[in-house]
Amino acid sequence: MSLRIRKSGILDTVQDGGRYGYQHLGINPGGAMDLLAMKIGNALVGNDAGEPVLEMHFPVAEIVFETRVLIALSGADFSATVNGDPVPILHPIIIQQGSVLQFGKNTTGARIYLAVAGGYTTSEWLSSSSTHKQVKAGGFEGRALQKNDILFLKKIKTNQVLSMDKPFVVFPWGAKVSDLYVDNPFRFIPGAEYFCLTETSKQQLKSGVFTIDQQSDRMGYRLRGEGIALESCQELISSAVTKGTIQLLPDGQLIILMADHQTTGGYPRVGHVISADFASLAQLRAGETFSLQKTDIPTAENLLIEQQRNLQQLQNACNFRLEEYLKSYQ
Amino acid sequence: MPVTLAYHIYPCGDHAVTIELGDKVDAVINQKIIALFAYLKKQQIKGVKDIIPAYHTVTIVYDVVLLKKQAADITVYEMICEHIEKAIDSFATEPPTTARLMRIPVCYDLLLAPDIKSLAALHEISIDDVIRLHTGKTYRVYMIGFLPGFAYMGTVDDKINTPRKPQPRTSVPAGSVGIAGAQTGIYPFDSPGGWQLIGQTPVQLFSVTKEEPCYLQPGDDIAFYSIPITEFEKLKQL
């Protein structure tokens, strides 16, 4: 009941919904960058939405399945293959014992998620399995997966994974996610220092094009664009920041705080990317461009509720189809 | 503590709200912040995921989807603001909390204090003066941030108030005690950092295996005392 890493990837970690309740101790929440993908992947294999998944970046590890298991890939598309044959994202797939999962190229998106039916055996730290690399805790030994690591799977209650003689079987149905993700522009609500921006900078924020810099990671996306300036520039006292906070750095460039952000910050908060658009933003890669569009809290809340409703429908549909599938084999 | 608090509330994104008291770094304001943090935590408001005190703010992170079920005609933001206002009204009559005093040994030996010499020279005082001034005060932990367990303490004597280094170091060893402006702090982990390093403590500031992983908490009082390098090595072994 395990997966083995045959070749290391650049950054493959165990993540869940995040470690909340400890930010007053400087412990950042972490968690999957694209929470939608985590939930979709789990839905496709019949798991609870918050079951820990593998979050993987390109180039990705090569994974040997040492047991037959039901899996799903979600989020980015890295041209996955099983024993050399292409397999799609967003479909449940039964993988035969001994089969090898590989990834060919970074087709779309920044991070792909691997969910397995029943879930992985992970270590929890402060009620979360998200990997905290600084503290070296949570997930798989608190670190990214490396060559020869063996990731054990939890025992599955029902015999969900039926025997077969092929290296893999892709289910004919999958998840439609077009109404969950958004395209450019991403929406933001103004931050506390938005009103200190010069008129030109406010315009630049709303209509400018921003490029994601190479120096971007799970902590933050550094942006490159025309410089942004404040009308008056008094030094701020540090206070808490959140996922999606857009800070103005002293050089006039912006940084958007991502899942592994620091808990506090002292740079001007010009805006905050709304929760409903965060997963889509988290799938942008270095070098890609986007724009920002100003919105307000009522709109942001409604968009998130609507997204949650669509996700719930998708989860229900997956449950229904998985049950149907199991029945058909009984 | 006064009966009422003058505060203002503003959104920190679409899933967090910040309560701000005053507009400066001030022990009295921060004391209220810590007390408010403790009080709000005790309320166990449903849907609240995190409460984060800083120098003059408390930020509450909440679950919009969960809370939306209760907020029929208003936004979740408005609802959470109402909760906070009610909580602050009842909080104003609470007695102030008392801080605990933590005594922390620091070795100011040149081997462990790469910036103490230049810092002393900058202020035209001796290294012994730096040590005397740094150990001569009780500091307050204003907030924890930057790294897990990194305590922002203040305020240091004006005579050793020193800006951050223009070029941050790529690696500062865990336990390093530094000064940045009027603040002093200890690095809980090996980390990049720009603070002026004047010593090192053998105390482990963060322990992943403990239920309370951080040695220091917001609101603590801290007193440093000087130890020779032999004792540092001995304590480090423990």
Side-chain angles (χ1 to χ4, degrees):
Chain A
M1 293 291 285
S2 60
L3 309 185
R4 182 165 52 84
I5 306 300
R6 191 167 80 173
K7 191 176 153 196
S8 299
I10 188 167
L11 178 61
D12 305 328
T13 56
V14 174
Q15 300 291 343
D16 61 11
R19 183 175 286 109
Y20 284 90
Y22 301 93
Q23 289 198 72
H24 61 288
L25 300 176
I27 299 167
N28 60 297
M33 288 274 277
D34 178 353
L35 286 169
L36 282 176
M38 175 192 85
K39 292 171 186 172
I40 294 161
N42 278 326
L44 286 166
V45 298
N47 289 345
D48 288 342
E51 185 66 33
V53 293
L54 279 186
E55 178 185 275
M56 310 188 289
H57 298 79
F58 198 84
V60 188
E62 284 179 21
I63 300 169
V64 182
F65 290 81
E66 299 188 318
T67 184
R68 194 169 65 238
V69 65
L70 178 67
I71 69 154
L73 297 163
S74 54
D77 188 346
F78 292 165
S79 301
T81 60
V82 174
N83 289 6
D85 288 327
V87 292
I89 58 166
L90 301 172
H91 283 256
I93 307 168
I94 301 174
I95 306 266
Q96 181 64 279
Q97 183 176 0
S99 291
V100 182
L101 177 66
Q102 289 169 292
F103 297 88
K105 64 175 199 288
N106 191 346
T107 311
T108 60
R111 16 193 88 78
I112 192 166
Y113 295 82
L114 174 60
V116 296
Y120 304 96
T121 300
T122 58
S123 62
E124 277 200 359
W125 177 57
L126 304 179
S127 313
S128 166
S129 288
S130 286
T131 306
H132 200 301
K133 285 172 70 191
Q134 178 100 45
V135 166
K136 300 186 179 73
F140 186 91
E141 297 178 6
R143 61 168 172 82
L145 294 172
Q146 292 164 7
K147 190 179 169 172
N148 295 330
D149 280 344
I150 292 174
L151 195 52
F152 287 94
L153 308 182
K154 288 186 202 159
K155 281 222 171 72
I156 303 170
K157 281 174 227 141
T158 54
N159 184 20
Q160 283 187 342
V161 187
L162 302 150
S163 62
M164 55 176 190
D165 49 13
K166 289 178 261 182
F168 66 91
V169 172
V170 179
F171 283 33
W173 55 272
K176 199 177 135 281
V177 300
S178 53
D179 56 358
L180 293 174
Y181 290 92
V182 295
D183 283 329
N184 188 38
F186 300 113
R187 289 153 290 195
F188 74 97
I189 64 161
E193 282 73 52
Y194 174 81
F195 302 96
C196 307
L197 292 174
T198 62
E199 277 310 312
T200 325
S201 290
K202 279 183 199 166
Q203 279 311 316
Q204 161 66 6
L205 197 62
K206 286 186 279 191
S207 59
V209 174
F210 299 98
T211 307
I212 297 174
D213 191 78
Q214 293 296 333
Q215 283 191 326
S216 297
D217 54 21
R218 280 183 45 92
M219 281 179 74
Y221 276 10
R222 279 172 181 272
L223 309 183
R224 272 184 285 120
E226 263 178 61
I228 303 270
L230 294 172
E231 199 73 74
S232 59
C233 203
Q234 62 176 42
E235 200 166 332
L236 286 177
I237 305 168
S238 286
S239 65
V241 287
T242 58
K243 203 162 87 169
T245 297
I246 311 169
Q247 289 181 316
L248 175 60
L249 300 176
D251 65 358
Q253 298 294 326
L254 302 175
I255 184 167
I256 306 183
L257 302 181
M258 305 302 279
D260 282 344
H261 67 83
Q262 292 179 10
T263 55
T264 56
Y267 294 125
R269 302 149 289 181
V270 299
H272 307 264
V273 174
I274 66 169
S275 302
D277 290 357
F278 190 84
S280 305
L281 175 69
Q283 285 298 353
L284 287 197
R285 317 183 277 232
E288 292 189 308
T289 57
F290 66 95
S291 297
L292 291 164
Q293 188 181 70
K294 191 164 146 244
T295 188
D296 54 26
I297 287 182
T299 311
E301 287 187 6
N302 288 335
L303 286 166
L304 186 64
I305 299 304
E306 190 189 315
Q307 185 181 64
Q308 176 61 28
R309 205 178 297 131
N310 291 336
L311 177 68
Q312 186 66 54
Q313 274 175 12
L314 191 150
Q315 288 165 325
N316 294 345
C318 287
N319 270 337
F320 178 73
R321 283 177 156 155
L322 277 175
E323 271 175 31
E324 250 187 353
Y325 161 80
L326 287 171
K327 267 188 219 152
S328 71
Y329 276 81
Q330 272 166 4
Chain B
M1 189 153 306
V3 180
T4 53
L5 291 172
Y7 60 90
H8 100 265
I9 299 183
Y10 55 86
C12 181
D14 63 1
H15 63 288
V17 51
T18 297
I19 310 155
E20 188 173 301
L21 301 186
D23 58 358
K24 57 177 192 256
V25 174
D26 177 273
V28 175
I29 288 172
N30 186 248
Q31 174 63 30
K32 289 180 190 170
I33 289 293
I34 305 299
L36 180 60
F37 158 71
Y39 182 75
L40 289 170
K41 216 170 157 66
K42 217 169 60 187
Q43 301 294 301
Q44 298 193 321
I45 304 170
K46 200 181 152 221
V48 167
K49 297 167 83 176
D50 253 315
I51 307 175
I52 316 159
Y55 283 100
H56 70 319
T57 56
V58 179
T59 298
I60 295 174
V61 182
Y62 54 88
D63 186 332
V64 175
V65 173
L66 188 79
L67 290 168
K68 193 69 184 181
K69 288 166 191 142
Q70 302 166 37
D73 304 325
I74 53 169
T75 61
V76 176
Y77 172 70
E78 285 164 334
M79 191 180 74
I80 207 99
C81 285
E82 280 177 20
H83 272 301
I84 292 167
E85 279 159 18
K86 266 189 218 148
I88 291 177
D89 283 345
S90 49
F91 157 76
T93 56
E94 288 278 302
T97 51
T98 46
R100 56 175 185 172
L101 176 68
M102 310 287 277
R103 288 174 47 79
I104 296 180
V106 177
C107 176
Y108 295 91
D109 192 286
L110 286 176
L111 287 169
L112 301 172
D115 298 323
I116 200 167
K117 210 170 159 180
S118 57
L119 189 143
L122 180 77
H123 296 285
E124 296 174 343
I125 55 177
S126 69
I127 288 172
D128 282 344
D129 287 336
V130 176
I131 299 169
R132 187 176 48 77
L133 290 165
H134 193 249
T135 55
K137 280 187 79 167
T138 299
Y139 301 99
R140 165 180 198 79
V141 176
Y142 278 91
M143 68 167 200
I144 297 195
F146 173 45
L147 294 169
F150 187 102
Y152 287 81
M153 296 173 261
T155 49
V156 302
D157 193 287
D158 279 346
K159 290 189 209 79
I160 52 172
N161 179 325
T162 317
R164 285 177 175 80
K165 295 183 79 66
Q167 280 296 327
R169 287 186 170 85
T170 52
S171 182
V172 171
S176 293
V177 176
I179 286 178
Q183 307 165 108
T184 182
I186 311 169
Y187 286 83
F189 298 94
D190 294 347
S191 151
W195 290 38
Q196 305 275 354
L197 307 181
I198 59 160
Q200 217 179 101
T201 178
V203 174
Q204 200 183 351
L205 274 297
F206 189 92
S207 171
V208 71
T209 51
K210 287 190 181 143
E211 203 175 318
E212 291 281 348
C214 298
Y215 189 69
L216 302 178
Q217 296 213 353
D220 283 348
D221 281 334
I222 308 298
F224 296 111
Y225 63 97
S226 175
I227 55 167
I229 196 153
T230 45
E231 179 150 7
F232 174 86
E233 300 290 359
K234 209 169 74 192
L235 289 170
K236 192 93 177 159
Q237 300 299 316
L238 295 179

